[in-house]
Amino acid sequence: MTAMQKSNTPLFLGIDLGTSQTAIMSSEGGKALIRSVVGYPKDVIGVRLLKKTLVVGDEALEKRSYLNLHFPLEDGVLKETGDREIKAAKELIEYAIAQVNPDDRGRLCGIIGVPARASVTNKAQLLKIADEMLDLSMVVSEPFMVAYGLNCLTNTIIIDIGAGTIDLCAMKGTVPSQEDQITLLKAGNHVDEVLAAEIAESYPEVQMTTLLAKKIKEQHGYVGESRESVMVNLRAGGRPVTCDLSREVRVACESILPDILENVEQLITSFDPEYQEDALKNIILAGGGGQIMGLRQALLSHLQGHGEVNVIRVEDPDFAGAAGALKLATELPPEYWTQVGDVIGS
Ligand SMILES: Nc1ncnc2c1ncn2[C@@H]1O[C@H](COP(=O)(O)OP(=O)(O)O)[C@@H](O)[C@H]1O
Ligand SMILES: [Mg+2]
């Protein structure tokens, strides 16, 4: 393909801006997963060590001792904390795009997913940033992207358990309205905090951080009856100790369960009665937190009295959102984009 031809074909992008990680996929097969963190050197020594003034992703976390870290999406959407966070968000998106479009050629048309009920101001901020970087851009709700990617556009309930938010969405054959979407602010990060606190209470001598709690949760997280006890090697007073964290892990993971169950039930009743049976058979678990063991079972037993229930876990929780956004970007003629979310550019 000549450069001329190439620039006529837009590069479509699907971007899932998550609190903990940002996933991007391009119509030419590019794919990247980036931790949603941006670091700036604390002082000149940091600049000297890094040989740059900006670090994005895992490298920023690794080198955090000489960086000021910014998590621009910490609350699930752009925090409303002024220019620094907006700049960091911009740098994160720019970095993500560079991962899949290194040559920087042609028109860029991108769809960005944000939590279902992102406030209007935050959405507007995001669109503004996107507009500076993309020729055509749109912001859509994240659970809708997941649904679109899976071709589940009707009689489906999506439960997307992220780090900062849990987004629930009822798909009814149209673009979901505000009433069909719920964002819960107690999500993965909340589980980490509860777990760290529970461990600190049971084992006061053990050194614990939320980052460590997060790792333990990702490895052993479960709800309901456990099959085996959770034994973890930790450190107390500089020495290794092995702790039984079965109770603590369960308590922490179950802390988000009542909210999820209650809101799923609410979403089910929002369907017309004749569709509820189908919706119950199409409950989709997405997001990193969807991998907590026993979640499916917990949902099934909670919804027991409702008749036949089926809960499906997405195959690739890291990319399900970005894949849906990319699918939407490539399938939807640009002139229709405004019907799904907000569109900027032309
Ligand atoms: N195997 C796992 N078990 C439980 N939780 C997990 C697992 N893997 C990732 N997570 C959690 O999922 C959350 C991140 O999910 P993700 O969908 O990437 O979030 P976001 O969209 O907010 O960036 C984090 O809280 C992370 O700790
Ligand atoms: Mg997400």
Side-chain angles (χ1 to χ4, degrees), residues 16-21 113 115 142 146 160-163 165 167 286-288 317-318 321:
D16 173 359
L17 270 190
T19 318
S20 73
Q21 44 192 14
E142 221 162 303
V146 172
D160 179 352
I161 308 178
T165 56
D167 292 303
D318 287 337

Side-chain angles (χ1 to χ4, degrees), residues 239-294:
R239 295 161 195 271
V241 286
T242 302
C243 301
D244 181 346
L245 300 180
S246 312
R247 188 193 67 82
E248 290 74 10
V249 169
R250 176 174 177 177
V251 167
C253 291
E254 289 186 350
S255 69
I256 54 169
L257 206 46
D259 263 2
I260 297 176
L261 297 176
E262 189 185 311
N263 284 289
V264 166
E265 275 199 297
Q266 193 194 317
L267 279 185
I268 289 167
T269 56
S270 81
F271 284 90
D272 285 339
E274 66 265 43
Y275 299 135
Q276 292 183 8
E277 213 176 296
D278 273 349
L280 281 157
K281 289 184 208 149
N282 281 318
I283 300 177
I284 292 169
L285 262 179
Q291 297 174 83
I292 292 174
M293 287 176 279

Side-chain angles (χ1 to χ4, degrees), residues 122-168:
N122 283 332
K123 247 176 140 184
Q125 278 178 343
L126 245 187
L127 265 176
K128 203 163 154 278
I129 294 174
D131 184 41
E132 288 170 32
M133 273 170 272
L134 303 168
D135 297 292
L136 189 61
S137 59
M138 182 163 70
V139 173
V140 300
S141 97
E142 221 162 303
F144 168 64
M145 280 181 350
V146 172
Y148 194 89
L150 296 172
N151 251 334
C152 293
L153 297 174
T154 180
N155 301 339
T156 299
I157 291 175
I158 309 281
I159 308 169
D160 179 352
I161 308 178
T165 56
I166 297 177
D167 292 303
L168 298 107

